[in-house]
Amino acid sequence: MSSLPEESGPRTAPAQVELLDRARYPDGLVATLDPEVGERIGAAPGDAVLVRTGAGHEAVVRLAGSPLEDSCAGILRLDALTRRFLVARLGTDVEVAACQPRESAEVGLEVDTAVERHGAEGLRERLHTHLREARTPLVRGAALALPVGPLGSQVVVRVASVDGVGMVAAHTDLRLAGADLKELTHPVNAGLADVGGLGTAVEELREVIQLAITRPEVLTRLGITPARGVVLHGPPGSGKTLLCRSLAGELDAAFYYISGPEVVGSLHGQTEESLRAVFSDAADHAPAIICIDEIEALTRNRRALSSHADLRAVAQLLSLMDGLRRARGVFVVGTTNQVELIDPAFRRPGRFDREIEIAEPDERARLEILTVQSRSMPLSAEARAALPRLAEGTVGFNGADLAAVCQRAGLAALRRITARGGLRGAEGLLATSEAVGVDDLVAAKAAVQPAGVRDAHFVTVPPRKLAGRTPALDRLRQVSAVALGGVGNEGSAAGSGVLLTGRSGAGKTATVATLARELGLRLVVVTGPELASRWLGDTEESVRGLAKVTKRMRPSLLLLDHLEAMAPRRTEGRDPGDIRIAGQLAAILTELTSTAGVMVVGATSQPELVDELVLGATGLRLRVDVPLPDDEDRAAILAAHLEAIGAELPENDQRALAELADGLTPGDLVLAVDLAAALARGTGRSLADSLAHELSDLAVRPAGRQRQEAHR
């Protein structure tokens, strides 16, 4: 292979290796370079560039357009396989120069044995076409991840033979051979290319650890003591452990994994001995990253501990963290979803210097995760184009949930394929026209329940179409912008929730569900009895957990249904437990109504029974009433539900039935239509007569008469 040119040849320039966004640049051996550096060496997007490390390792890449933020930064972004080939971790200084690959007469590629065994001829043609059209530069030993599998899925190949720096042309003889490429397709330490949707957390973690590993002299000159510990906290499945392991792989650091509960020994002093052994081994193999998963099991607040063994383990870990000052290049990353349980002695500078929150991914982050998780799947063109819509509709899904969606979609496709040709014919069908389709993704999304709402207290309600005029919905639309903005927005409703009142069956839940659908909010519904527990403190804990879940699901809309059962009005002789629950509910309402991206609505049919503390200045102080429908609205509701069940009545009959249903709620009308349809099918009576009978029956019941009198 050619080396970098001498002074008489093309110009060279220094650059610093950084991470390439694999979701944005899925092709192999594509890189981006600071335009200023490219101008100095005479290379523009589309040109080939030779990269050389200080250790003499060389690779050739084809330039793509550079991100704007890299201008004048001297950054060369490379994908994980190229960095591994160059033995260059993030932050490594390299030299770059323009080069001109030559058309090769013969190129040999290695593919994984399983891929080569099935459909090698079709793969060879796709590889030849892709490499020729992309003008991909090739050097011996380089690995590439190319979208040449069935329907655009990625396949990893390695260049086995090529003359110098070459590229595939129309006359090139491309030869394939099977090889064991597990070290490329399933590396022990995954790279950051396998992490999607954690951009902010990645940057923070790299800021703390990467500079101390790659440029310790810079910190020394500035008089900065490197951080020794970081806590990653967030909900289960958000990618905390994956991020820690991936960063260790990118920085070529030794990785030590400790599971908090597993390190606890049964013998006297065994826990402390295990911790000392890990820290000692890490110091001997620096740079090293020690990941302590579920760290709260080892660092629990000592005031809550009763066992001397647990107290000794906490003290030992504190001592080892202090000892890291003498062990250069060793870092501790703890992961937890209960950061509040960690002893305060750990949460100070010098031990765990940073606490980085792994929040729920937003729409852009969800798209990155879906792109990373599906890059090796044979998605149809329609399914790949539907990924942005899927990301938009998966509010509240974390990284593990989205990975499960992709896995379920793949299994759905597999079931469909095996039903046609069995397992033996599955691989052949996948190599031709079968793929994971849009229907598979939609069905998978519906089957996966987000981790944040798997608790029985937090359930979601599908939105329903409202008919007739909706004054309550119109009012909620008006106050939603201010309510979702939280404290700091202009308007008198800032920091306030909404109390939705109306008779049972008036459509309060359906109104809120429609609002959530229109605004793209995750709807979380909690009913009063679901929070109740016979154990002391359990109900209050559920209320506090309600605040955590709602904030984690942002943007979200929390509906407290049957509010009078959660916080009944204080009366003489009232249970002290109810008073504690009302106080806790008022506290979380204060917190949630002042949080941007969260809207809180309480619903009740008996507002006079709700505790005044919950309806106070920091609670649900905006009141919106859901009125009973008038004749015109009742006619529209009847027509809409008749259409939903595939029935139809003349307009005159609908108006007459609407007048007959005076005083009934939308829930009564829907029930009457369902009962009338069943009665008409069973007795042969007309639908109009059956519906008139059911409406009259509902209207004369005691509850119906009370509603009618109150309405009049």
Side-chain angles (χ1 to χ4, degrees):
M1 172 179 172
S2 61
S3 60
L4 277 178
E6 303 296 335
E7 294 183 1
S8 59
R11 294 162 292 177
T12 66
Q16 187 178 85
V17 173
E18 274 297 335
L19 180 69
L20 181 72
D21 183 358
R22 192 170 176 183
R24 183 176 177 184
Y25 303 99
D27 204 354
L29 288 188
V30 171
T32 66
L33 180 64
D34 177 359
E36 184 182 358
V37 178
E39 185 177 350
R40 287 163 55 189
I41 65 173
D47 293 341
V49 170
L50 184 64
V51 185
R52 184 179 184 181
T53 67
H57 300 287
E58 296 178 352
V60 180
V61 294
R62 181 77 65 184
L63 293 184
S66 176
L68 292 176
E69 60 267 21
D70 289 352
S71 297
C72 303
I75 289 177
L76 171 69
R77 296 190 179 272
L78 302 174
D79 75 318
L81 291 175
T82 305
R83 294 196 305 274
R84 192 171 293 124
F85 176 60
L86 284 170
V87 196
R89 58 194 181 192
L90 298 179
T92 300
D93 288 330
V94 297
E95 286 189 331
V96 294
C99 74
Q100 183 59 50
R102 292 173 295 183
E103 295 183 353
S104 301
E106 181 179 310
V107 173
L109 298 179
E110 294 177 337
V111 299
D112 192 82
T113 305
V115 177
E116 189 270 340
R117 188 168 57 245
H118 299 280
E121 186 60 29
L123 177 61
R124 193 195 76 83
E125 294 299 327
R126 291 194 297 272
L127 276 169
H128 195 287
T129 301
H130 180 85
L131 294 173
R132 183 181 73 252
E133 293 178 351
R135 298 168 52 240
T136 304
L138 304 174
V139 294
R140 188 174 183 273
L144 304 87
L146 304 173
V148 294
L151 297 158
S153 59
Q154 289 194 342
V155 173
V156 175
V157 300
R158 183 166 56 196
V159 182
S161 62
V162 66
D163 184 16
V165 181
M167 63 180 184
V168 173
H171 63 273
T172 303
D173 181 15
L174 186 64
R175 300 184 179 182
L176 296 185
D180 185 2
L181 301 183
K182 289 182 180 178
E183 76 279 4
L184 298 176
T185 56
H186 300 286
V188 176
N189 286 333
L192 289 174
D194 298 303
V195 179
L198 299 179
T200 303
V202 168
E203 292 304 319
E204 286 193 61
L205 193 58
R206 288 181 57 191
E207 182 182 80
V208 175
I209 297 178
Q210 179 184 336
L211 194 61
I213 290 180
T214 60
R215 294 288 191 277
E217 67 280 358
V218 174
L219 299 180
T220 302
R221 291 176 184 174
L222 293 174
I224 299 175
T225 301
R228 295 304 181 196
V230 179
V231 173
L232 300 178
H233 62 95
S238 57
K240 301 181 294 291
T241 306
L242 174 63
L243 175 57
C244 180
R245 189 185 298 273
S246 300
L247 183 64
E250 290 289 0
L251 299 178
D252 196 24
F255 182 76
Y256 295 86
Y257 177 80
I258 299 175
S259 175
E262 291 179 0
V263 78
V264 177
S266 58
L267 302 178
H268 181 77
Q270 188 175 6
T271 304
E272 299 92 300
E273 183 181 356
S274 299
L275 290 172
R276 287 194 298 270
V278 172
F279 275 74
S280 176
D281 197 25
D284 292 338
H285 296 85
I289 295 177
I290 302 173
C291 177
I292 306 180
D293 206 4
E294 307 295 344
I295 195 172
E296 74 276 5
L298 292 174
T299 61
R300 195 171 288 260
N301 195 317
R302 285 169 288 182
R303 293 183 179 180
L305 297 177
S306 57
S307 167
H308 288 291
D310 292 337
L311 289 170
R312 288 196 307 270
V314 172
Q316 178 66 79
L317 190 54
L318 284 169
S319 176
L320 291 171
M321 292 290 296
D322 290 336
L324 290 179
R325 298 173 184 172
R326 300 183 296 273
R328 297 190 60 178
V330 179
F331 304 90
V332 179
V333 180
T335 68
T336 179
N337 53 24
Q338 295 178 300
V339 68
E340 68 278 0
L341 298 183
I342 298 178
D343 193 289
F346 288 97
R347 302 175 67 179
R348 69 162 180 82
R351 287 174 179 153
F352 286 108
D353 300 74
R354 291 277 192 98
E355 293 182 358
I356 301 175
E357 181 182 6
I358 310 295
E360 290 289 342
D362 57 16
E363 182 178 336
R364 178 180 177 182
R366 293 194 297 272
L367 179 57
E368 290 181 9
I369 295 170
L370 288 170
T371 302
V372 169
Q373 292 294 331
S374 64
R375 65 191 176 200
S376 297
M377 298 176 65
L379 294 182
S380 66
E382 294 79 8
R384 200 168 295 279
L387 289 181
R389 296 198 304 274
L390 183 63
E392 181 182 358
T394 48
V395 178
F397 285 63
N398 60 29
D401 299 326
L402 295 172
V405 169
C406 293
Q407 294 297 315
R408 281 180 176 266
L411 289 174
L414 179 62
R415 284 193 294 269
R416 185 177 65 252
I417 293 168
T418 53
R420 294 174 53 187
L423 286 174
R424 181 172 296 180
E427 292 178 342
L429 287 171
L430 279 173
T432 54
S433 60
E434 291 292 339
V436 179
V438 176
D439 292 342
D440 298 322
L441 291 173
V442 172
K445 178 208 165 196
V448 175
Q449 187 180 19
V453 294
R454 286 180 186 168
D455 192 292
H457 298 322
F458 314 117
V459 297
T460 55
V461 175
R464 287 172 285 179
K465 182 178 179 181
L466 299 180
R469 291 172 297 176
T470 54
L473 180 59
D474 296 337
R475 179 58 177 158
L476 288 177
R477 290 192 187 107
Q478 294 171 4
V479 303
S480 62
V482 179
L484 287 169
V487 170
N489 272 9
E490 296 182 0
S492 60
S496 174
V498 179
L499 178 66
L500 197 63
T501 61
R503 297 188 179 277
S504 297
K508 298 184 292 295
T509 303
T511 299
V512 175
T514 301
L515 179 71
R517 180 188 58 191
E518 290 182 358
L519 300 180
L521 305 176
R522 183 73 185 182
L523 176 62
V524 182
V525 180
V526 182
T527 60
E530 288 178 341
L531 292 176
S533 172
R534 61 177 179 172
W535 304 110
L536 181 65
D538 262 15
T539 304
E540 294 92 317
E541 179 62 30
S542 296
V543 173
R544 289 191 293 272
L546 175 63
K548 293 180 183 178
V549 168
T550 305
K551 290 171 68 175
R552 207 163 59 215
M553 303 287 288
R554 288 180 291 177
S556 57
L557 194 161
L558 171 64
L559 173 61
L560 302 173
D561 209 0
H562 299 292
L563 186 61
E564 71 279 1
M566 299 184 199
R569 181 181 291 275
R570 304 185 189 191
T571 57
E572 185 177 353
R574 179 179 168 186
D575 186 350
D578 291 341
I579 299 176
R580 291 196 307 271
I581 295 168
Q584 185 66 71
L585 185 59
I588 71 139
L589 286 177
T590 302
E591 177 185 356
L592 291 177
T593 54
S594 60
T595 300
V598 173
M599 183 174 180
V600 182
V601 177
T604 179
S605 58
Q606 297 175 298
E608 68 279 1
L609 298 184
V610 180
D611 195 297
E612 293 179 356
L613 183 63
V614 175
L615 306 179
T618 57
L620 306 174
R621 61 192 176 110
L622 290 177
R623 181 164 174 172
V624 177
D625 186 58
V626 181
L628 289 177
D630 58 17
D631 288 349
E632 183 181 345
D633 293 332
R634 289 193 297 272
I637 294 170
L638 289 173
H641 197 59
L642 286 168
E643 181 182 356
I645 65 172
E648 186 178 359
L649 286 177
E651 187 174 341
N652 291 336
D653 289 349
Q654 292 180 15
R655 285 199 296 268
L657 291 169
E659 294 176 1
L660 181 64
D662 185 25
L664 297 184
T665 67
D668 294 332
L669 299 177
V670 171
L671 175 62
V673 171
D674 291 338
L675 292 175
L679 180 63
R681 287 193 299 269
T683 63
R685 296 174 59 180
S686 69
L687 180 59
D689 291 343
S690 300
L691 185 52
H693 171 77
E694 295 297 340
L695 290 173
S696 300
D697 185 52
L698 288 172
V700 299
R701 290 178 182 177
R705 286 200 302 269
Q706 292 174 8
R707 285 195 296 269
Q708 192 170 7
E709 291 170 2
H711 178 66
R712 290 175 178 173

